[in-house]
Amino acid sequence: MPAKKATHQQTKQHNRDLILKTLFDNPQISRAEIARTTKLTRATVSDMVADLIEEGLVAEVGYGSSIGGRLPVLLSLNADSRYLIGLNLAQDKFIGAVVNLRGEIKETCEAPVGSNNGEQALQIVYQILDQLISTDCKPIVGIGIGTPGLVNAREGIVVNAVNLDWQDLPLARLLETRYHLPVSVLNDSQAMAIGEFVYSGSYKSDDNLIVVNVGYGVGAGILINGRIFQGDGGGAGEIGHVAVQENGVACRCGKYGCLETVASARAVVQRAQVLSETSDPQINSFESLETAFLAGDPLAQRIVTEAGHYLGFSIANLVGTLNIKSILLTGDMTCFGESWLGSVRESMSEAALPRMVQDTQLEIGKLDFRGCILGASASMLLSGYTLLFTQTNNN
Amino acid sequence: MPAKKATHQQTKQHNRDLILKTLFDNPQISRAEIARTTKLTRATVSDMVADLIEEGLVAEVGYGSSIGGRLPVLLSLNADSRYLIGLNLAQDKFIGAVVNLRGEIKETCEAPVGSNNGEQALQIVYQILDQLISTDCKPIVGIGIGTPGLVNAREGIVVNAVNLDWQDLPLARLLETRYHLPVSVLNDSQAMAIGEFVYSGSYKSDDNLIVVNVGYGVGAGILINGRIFQGDGGGAGEIGHVAVQENGVACRCGKYGCLETVASARAVVQRAQVLSETSDPQINSFESLETAFLAGDPLAQRIVTEAGHYLGFSIANLVGTLNIKSILLTGDMTCFGESWLGSVRESMSEAALPRMVQDTQLEIGKLDFRGCILGASASMLLSGYTLLFTQTNNN
C-alpha cells in the first residue's frame, strides 16, 4: 500500500504514464480504446493525447474500423520521436547503441577493452558515448549502462567490477555531469533480464521472470511483478559467486568453487585447455570449443554437458527459492543449444521439487548480446515513463 | 505502475487503510499527526476517524502535549474490538489461538496429530476451530492457517502436504463454508515470516526480510517490500527440498540429498540415532539431543554444527539470489543457540560474496512457535486491512 496520498500533479503524471504505457503496448489504438483500457474518461484521454501529439510523442496514423458511427482515428507512439543510448560493458569489447522508443537499434559503436585499467575503461565509455551522441538521432533523452559486477543502481555506483578494475565508481554522476542526461546504471544480467522482459514480446506487465545470463561470468536478473528486483544492496541475482563445489578451483573473486568456475564460458574454455592438451583437436578458445562441440567431439560435448549440469543445480535453487515459472538462459553458453539446455534441465529436475519443476519453463532467451543494450536503455522506461518522457519538456 | 485508475470508492477505502495502518503503527496518535503522516486533509481524517470510532475500532484514550493551543486528543486502535484465529499445523500437534488486533494471544487450543490420515487431520482442524470460535472473544473476523507443504495461497488450496496426507485440499473453501468467515491459507514458513515481520517490531512497512524456518522441515518465507512473495505457484521459499548433497540420503519427498535430510531437526535426530548407537549417552530424540548438546557432548555438538554448515551453504544461495540484508532463523533448531548460529554464519560467509555477506544480518528470530500463529492471523491484515476491517460492517 502506498504510504502517501497522491497530489494533483502526481495524478496527472500517473494518467499520462497510463496512456503512454497503453500506447507502448499497442501498435495502433484509438482514443476510445485507450479510455476503455485505462478506465480514464474520454475527456482526460483526449486532453492528454493532444499534449502528446503536440510534443511529437504520438501521431495520428489512420482510421480503424467502426461498428457504426464515425471511423475512429488510430494513434501510434512515434517511435523515432525520442532516442535512448544503451551500453553493454560485459564483453571483451564495449558495445553501445542508439535505440528508438520501440527498441529498434539505429546506430551502434564498439571498442575493444584490452587492459585491466579502470581509468582506461572509463575513457572508452566516454569515446563510445561521444560518438553515439553526435549521430543524427535526436533528441537523446537518456543513457542506460549494463555493467558486470556489483552495482548500487539507486545511486548509479559501480561498487565492484573486477574485470574493469572499478571500485565504488560513481558512473551515473560522471556521465550525468558530462552529458547532461539522466543515466541509469545496472548490472549487465539485470539489464539483460529487462531487455528480454520488455522486448521479447512474451510477458505481461506484471509477470515474474528470471533471466540467467551465462557468459564469461554468470549472473541472473529477477523481475518481480514486472520490475527488476535488486535486493537491499543491488546485488540480487549474483549467483555466479555462490560456492557450489567444496574444494573447488580458485575464482577471480578470491573464493573457491563458485558457480562461475564450473558453469561459465570462461570455465569451459579453461577446462577444455587442460583436458585437450594432448588430444586432437587442441581446444584453446571459446571459438575452438564451439567448433569441436558442433563437430561432435566427445571431449567438447562432455565439458559442455558437465557445465550445464552445474548450472542446473543452481537453477534448482532459484526454483526452490522463488518458484518463478519462466526462466530464460542468455549469454555465450546458449550457443551450445539444445544439448546444453537438456543437461541444465536434467539436473534442475533432479535437484528441485517435481511439483515445482513441472510448472517451470526453462528456455533460451530470444535476444542475443543486444538484450543487455536494450535492457539498459529500457531500464529508463521501466523506472517510470516519467523520467523518459518528461525530460524534454521540463514538467 | 497500477493498470487501472482508482474509483471514488477505492480512494475512500485507500484513505481508510492509510489511517488504520497509521493507527496500527502508533500506539497513540492525534488526528493532526495522522493527517501529517498520511498527507490526507484534516477534514478527511476527522470524518474517517468518526466512522472508525462509531464502529468501535478506534477509541479516544487521552490528551497529548501541546505546543500552544488546545491539547490534542489521542487516538488508539481498540485492540480487542476484533479478533482473529491463527492456526499452526506444522508441529506434531496442531496449535490454534485467538489473537486480538495487536497480536496478543487470548485463548489457545491444541491437539496431537498422531496418524497420517488426511481426513483425520482435517477433523482435528475443525475441533480446534470449533472450540476457539466458541470462546468469549467476539467478533472473530477471520481465520489464518499456516500449514506445512506446498500451498496455492490465492485459492486457499493445500497442493501437497506429505505429513498430513493432503493433496489438492481446498482448505479455505471448506473452512469458509463451515464458519462463514474469510480464511487465509499459507505455507507455515511464509506465515512465520509474516509473524516476525509484523510483530517483532523491527521492520518498516516496505522492508525486505527472509525468515528461514528450521524445524522438522526446512522452509523460508520471503517478504519483498513488506509483502510475502509466494512465486507463481505459491512455493517460493521451498528450499528444504532442493538437493544439496550428491548421493545423499532419501528424503520424505522422494528425492535424495535435500537440505532437509542434512539440516532439519529430523535430520540431526536421525544422524544422532545412528552415530550414538554404541555410545553413552544414547541419543534417540530431539530432546535427548538437546540435553546432550547442552551438556557439552562432543558427538551432539558435531552433529549440530554439521547441520548448521549445510544450512549456511543454502543461505549463501539466498544471499546471492536476493541480497536481502535481514535474515532470521526460526524453528526447533534455534534451541542450539549461538554455536549453531555460528556454524551457519561461517559457511554462509565461506560460500557467498564477501561484499554481500558483510551487509547481511543473520540472527535468530524473536518469536517462537507463536510466530506461525501470529503470522497466519496477520496475513489477513497484510492482504489488505480492507478484508479485515470491512468484514463486520458490510462495506
Side-chain angles (χ1 to χ4, degrees):
Chain A
M1 150 185 342
K4 304 271 157 70
K5 192 194 150 204
T7 64
H8 177 70
Q9 181 60 37
Q10 283 170 325
T11 304
K12 201 176 157 192
Q13 185 65 55
H14 175 75
N15 291 346
R16 183 186 164 95
D17 289 349
L18 265 182
I19 292 171
L20 279 167
K21 176 161 176 20
T22 307
L23 283 155
F24 188 79
D25 290 343
N26 295 278
Q28 302 196 335
I29 189 168
S30 68
R31 287 171 179 82
E33 283 174 90
I34 293 175
R36 264 195 297 278
T37 307
T38 59
K39 308 237 197 272
L40 295 168
T41 64
R42 292 248 193 158
T44 304
V45 171
S46 285
D47 285 355
M48 194 64 83
V49 164
D51 288 353
L52 294 172
I53 288 174
E54 197 182 311
E55 292 167 37
L57 270 163
V58 169
E60 298 185 335
V61 291
Y63 293 94
S65 54
S66 168
I67 49 162
R70 281 198 309 178
L71 292 182
V73 176
L74 293 180
L75 304 168
S76 182
L77 193 66
N78 193 345
D80 289 296
S81 62
R82 305 285 189 279
Y83 296 94
L84 295 159
I85 290 176
L87 194 48
N88 178 356
L89 309 184
Q91 314 279 332
D92 50 357
K93 54 183 187 231
F94 291 170
I95 311 178
V98 179
V99 307
N100 72 8
L101 296 182
R102 288 272 175 219
E104 291 155 357
I105 291 180
K106 295 292 176 172
E107 301 278 349
T108 62
C109 178
E110 60 180 67
V113 189
S115 99
N116 214 25
N117 175 318
E119 182 52 35
Q120 267 179 298
L122 186 58
Q123 291 304 324
I124 297 172
V125 170
Y126 290 155
Q127 280 166 30
I128 293 177
L129 290 177
D130 288 351
Q131 196 167 327
L132 290 174
I133 277 177
S134 67
T135 67
D136 291 338
C137 299
K138 299 222 159 48
I140 285 167
V141 293
I143 299 170
I145 314 273
T147 171
L150 193 56
V151 176
N152 174 340
R154 198 172 339 198
E155 301 181 44
I157 293 169
V158 183
V159 177
N160 191 24
V162 177
N163 287 337
L164 303 175
D165 187 28
W166 285 348
Q167 282 87 38
D168 298 312
L169 179 77
L171 187 57
R173 189 169 54 73
L174 290 171
L175 298 179
E176 280 166 358
T177 305
R178 187 178 170 103
Y179 298 108
H180 308 289
L181 287 172
V183 175
S184 136
V185 180
L186 278 179
N187 169 275
D188 63 318
S189 299
Q190 293 176 356
M192 184 73 92
I194 294 175
E196 290 283 349
F197 190 82
V198 174
Y199 290 116
S200 78
S202 316
Y203 301 100
K204 288 202 294 280
S205 60
D206 59 349
D207 277 352
N208 302 314
L209 173 70
I210 298 174
V211 173
V212 182
N213 190 24
V214 196
Y216 198 61
V218 180
I222 301 164
L223 284 123
I224 290 180
N225 298 326
R227 294 193 159 251
I228 194 82
F229 179 72
Q230 300 178 309
D232 293 321
E238 268 290 358
I239 61 172
H241 297 289
V242 174
V244 296
Q245 250 200 340
E246 284 193 87
N247 312 312
V249 304
C251 181
R252 65 199 167 108
C253 77
K255 297 191 300 105
Y256 293 84
C258 294
L259 179 61
E260 259 189 38
T261 66
V262 289
S264 67
R266 181 197 287 115
V268 290
V269 171
Q270 281 174 350
R271 193 153 162 75
Q273 280 169 337
V274 171
L275 294 180
S276 72
E277 215 164 22
T278 57
S279 62
D280 182 43
Q282 225 235 297
I283 301 171
N284 49 28
S285 67
F286 191 78
E287 289 67 31
S288 59
L289 177 64
E290 192 180 349
T291 307
F293 177 87
L294 293 174
D297 177 66
L299 176 64
Q301 300 209 325
R302 198 185 92 206
I303 289 168
V304 166
T305 303
E306 281 178 5
H309 274 298
Y310 280 112
L311 183 65
F313 285 116
S314 288
I315 289 180
N317 264 296
L318 293 176
V319 171
T321 302
L322 294 170
N323 192 202
I324 288 177
K325 69 173 197 290
S326 294
I327 305 181
L328 297 179
L329 302 176
T330 60
D332 296 334
M333 289 296 287
T334 60
C335 75
F336 297 113
E338 279 300 320
S339 81
W340 173 71
L341 181 60
S343 65
V344 181
R345 281 200 186 121
E346 189 176 287
S347 54
M348 170 186 80
S349 302
E350 207 175 292
L353 211 55
R355 284 297 284 246
M356 289 165 75
V357 169
Q358 77 192 20
D359 291 331
T360 303
Q361 282 117 41
L362 180 70
E363 304 291 346
I364 289 178
K366 290 186 184 151
L367 310 176
D368 49 26
F369 73 95
R370 292 168 306 168
C372 177
I373 294 174
L374 291 176
S377 66
S379 67
M380 318 208 78
L381 281 111
L382 281 193
S383 68
Y385 293 77
T386 312
L387 178 63
L388 175 58
F389 290 115
T390 57
Q391 186 56 25
T392 51
N393 59 352
N394 299 315
N395 269 11
Chain B
M1 145 184 348
K4 304 270 158 72
K5 192 191 153 210
T7 64
H8 177 69
Q9 182 59 36
Q10 283 170 325
T11 305
K12 203 177 156 191
Q13 186 63 54
H14 175 75
N15 292 347
R16 182 185 165 96
D17 289 348
L18 266 181
I19 292 171
L20 278 168
K21 177 163 175 17
T22 308
L23 282 156
F24 188 78
D25 290 343
N26 296 276
Q28 300 196 333
I29 189 168
S30 68
R31 288 173 180 81
E33 283 174 89
I34 292 175
R36 266 195 297 280
T37 307
T38 58
K39 309 236 196 271
L40 295 169
T41 65
R42 292 245 195 160
T44 302
V45 171
S46 286
D47 285 356
M48 194 64 82
V49 164
D51 288 352
L52 295 172
I53 289 175
E54 199 184 309
E55 292 169 36
L57 271 163
V58 170
E60 297 186 335
V61 291
Y63 293 94
S65 55
S66 168
I67 50 165
R70 283 197 308 178
L71 292 181
V73 176
L74 293 179
L75 304 168
S76 183
L77 193 66
N78 192 346
D80 290 296
S81 63
R82 304 284 190 280
Y83 296 94
L84 295 159
I85 289 175
L87 193 49
N88 179 354
L89 310 184
Q91 315 279 333
D92 50 356
K93 55 182 183 236
F94 290 171
I95 311 179
V98 179
V99 308
N100 72 7
L101 297 181
R102 288 273 176 218
E104 289 153 359
I105 291 181
K106 296 292 176 172
E107 302 278 350
T108 62
C109 178
E110 58 180 68
V113 189
S115 98
N116 213 28
N117 176 318
E119 182 53 34
Q120 266 179 302
L122 187 59
Q123 291 304 326
I124 298 172
V125 169
Y126 291 155
Q127 281 166 29
I128 293 178
L129 290 176
D130 287 351
Q131 195 166 330
L132 290 173
I133 277 177
S134 67
T135 68
D136 291 337
C137 300
K138 301 225 157 51
I140 284 167
V141 294
I143 299 170
I145 314 273
T147 171
L150 192 57
V151 175
N152 175 339
R154 197 173 340 199
E155 301 181 45
I157 294 169
V158 182
V159 177
N160 193 22
V162 177
N163 286 336
L164 302 176
D165 188 28
W166 286 347
Q167 283 86 35
D168 299 312
L169 179 77
L171 187 56
R173 188 166 56 71
L174 291 172
L175 298 180
E176 280 166 359
T177 305
R178 187 178 170 102
Y179 298 109
H180 308 290
L181 286 172
V183 175
S184 136
V185 179
L186 277 178
N187 170 275
D188 62 320
S189 299
Q190 294 176 357
M192 183 73 93
I194 294 175
E196 289 284 349
F197 189 83
V198 173
Y199 291 115
S200 78
S202 316
Y203 302 100
K204 288 203 295 276
S205 62
D206 58 348
D207 278 350
N208 301 314
L209 173 69
I210 299 174
V211 173
V212 183
N213 190 25
V214 196
Y216 198 60
V218 180
I222 302 163
L223 282 123
I224 290 181
N225 299 323
R227 293 192 160 253
I228 194 82
F229 179 72
Q230 300 178 308
D232 292 321
E238 267 290 359
I239 62 173
H241 298 289
V242 175
V244 296
Q245 250 200 341
E246 284 192 87
N247 312 314
V249 304
C251 181
R252 66 198 166 109
C253 77
K255 297 192 299 107
Y256 292 85
C258 295
L259 179 62
E260 261 191 33
T261 67
V262 289
S264 67
R266 181 196 287 116
V268 290
V269 171
Q270 281 175 351
R271 193 153 161 75
Q273 281 170 336
V274 172
L275 294 181
S276 72
E277 215 163 19
T278 57
S279 61
D280 182 41
Q282 225 238 296
I283 301 170
N284 49 29
S285 67
F286 191 77
E287 289 66 33
S288 59
L289 177 65
E290 192 180 349
T291 306
F293 177 87
L294 293 174
D297 177 69
L299 176 64
Q301 299 209 325
R302 197 185 92 205
I303 289 168
V304 167
T305 304
E306 281 177 4
H309 275 297
Y310 280 112
L311 183 65
F313 286 117
S314 288
I315 289 180
N317 263 297
L318 293 176
V319 171
T321 301
L322 294 171
N323 192 200
I324 288 177
K325 68 172 197 294
S326 293
I327 305 182
L328 297 179
L329 302 176
T330 59
D332 296 334
M333 290 294 287
T334 60
C335 75
F336 297 113
E338 279 301 321
S339 81
W340 173 71
L341 181 60
S343 65
V344 181
R345 281 200 185 118
E346 190 178 287
S347 55
M348 172 187 78
S349 303
E350 206 176 292
L353 212 56
R355 287 296 284 247
M356 289 165 75
V357 169
Q358 77 192 18
D359 292 330
T360 303
Q361 281 117 42
L362 180 69
E363 305 291 348
I364 289 177
K366 290 185 185 151
L367 310 177
D368 48 27
F369 73 94
R370 293 168 305 169
C372 178
I373 294 175
L374 291 176
S377 66
S379 67
M380 315 209 78
L381 280 110
L382 282 190
S383 69
Y385 292 77
T386 313
L387 178 62
L388 175 58
F389 291 115
T390 57
Q391 185 58 25
T392 52
N393 59 355
N394 299 314
N395 269 9

mmCIF file of all heavy atoms in Angstrom, chain A residues 13 231 363 390:
data_model
loop_
_atom_site.group_PDB
_atom_site.id
_atom_site.type_symbol
_atom_site.label_atom_id
_atom_site.label_comp_id
_atom_site.label_asym_id
_atom_site.label_seq_id
_atom_site.Cartn_x
_atom_site.Cartn_y
_atom_site.Cartn_z
ATOM 1 N N GLN A 13 0.412 13.027 -13.771
ATOM 2 C CA GLN A 13 1.554 12.271 -14.292
ATOM 3 C C GLN A 13 1.193 10.792 -14.406
ATOM 4 O O GLN A 13 1.543 10.123 -15.379
ATOM 5 C CB GLN A 13 2.765 12.461 -13.360
ATOM 6 C CG GLN A 13 4.033 11.809 -13.862
ATOM 7 C CD GLN A 13 4.522 12.443 -15.163
ATOM 8 O OE1 GLN A 13 4.726 13.635 -15.246
ATOM 9 N NE2 GLN A 13 4.687 11.612 -16.197
ATOM 10 N N GLY A 231 17.424 -6.216 -4.649
ATOM 11 C CA GLY A 231 17.832 -6.511 -3.281
ATOM 12 C C GLY A 231 18.268 -5.259 -2.548
ATOM 13 O O GLY A 231 18.298 -4.173 -3.118
ATOM 14 N N GLU A 363 13.945 -21.941 -20.873
ATOM 15 C CA GLU A 363 14.159 -21.795 -22.313
ATOM 16 C C GLU A 363 15.359 -20.890 -22.562
ATOM 17 O O GLU A 363 15.828 -20.209 -21.649
ATOM 18 C CB GLU A 363 12.927 -21.160 -22.977
ATOM 19 C CG GLU A 363 11.611 -21.878 -22.749
ATOM 20 C CD GLU A 363 11.533 -23.231 -23.461
ATOM 21 O OE1 GLU A 363 12.392 -23.485 -24.339
ATOM 22 O OE2 GLU A 363 10.638 -24.028 -23.120
ATOM 23 N N THR A 390 9.298 13.120 -19.606
ATOM 24 C CA THR A 390 9.160 14.490 -19.130
ATOM 25 C C THR A 390 10.477 15.241 -19.259
ATOM 26 O O THR A 390 10.544 16.433 -19.028
ATOM 27 C CB THR A 390 8.711 14.552 -17.655
ATOM 28 O OG1 THR A 390 9.662 13.824 -16.886
ATOM 29 C CG2 THR A 390 7.336 13.958 -17.486
#
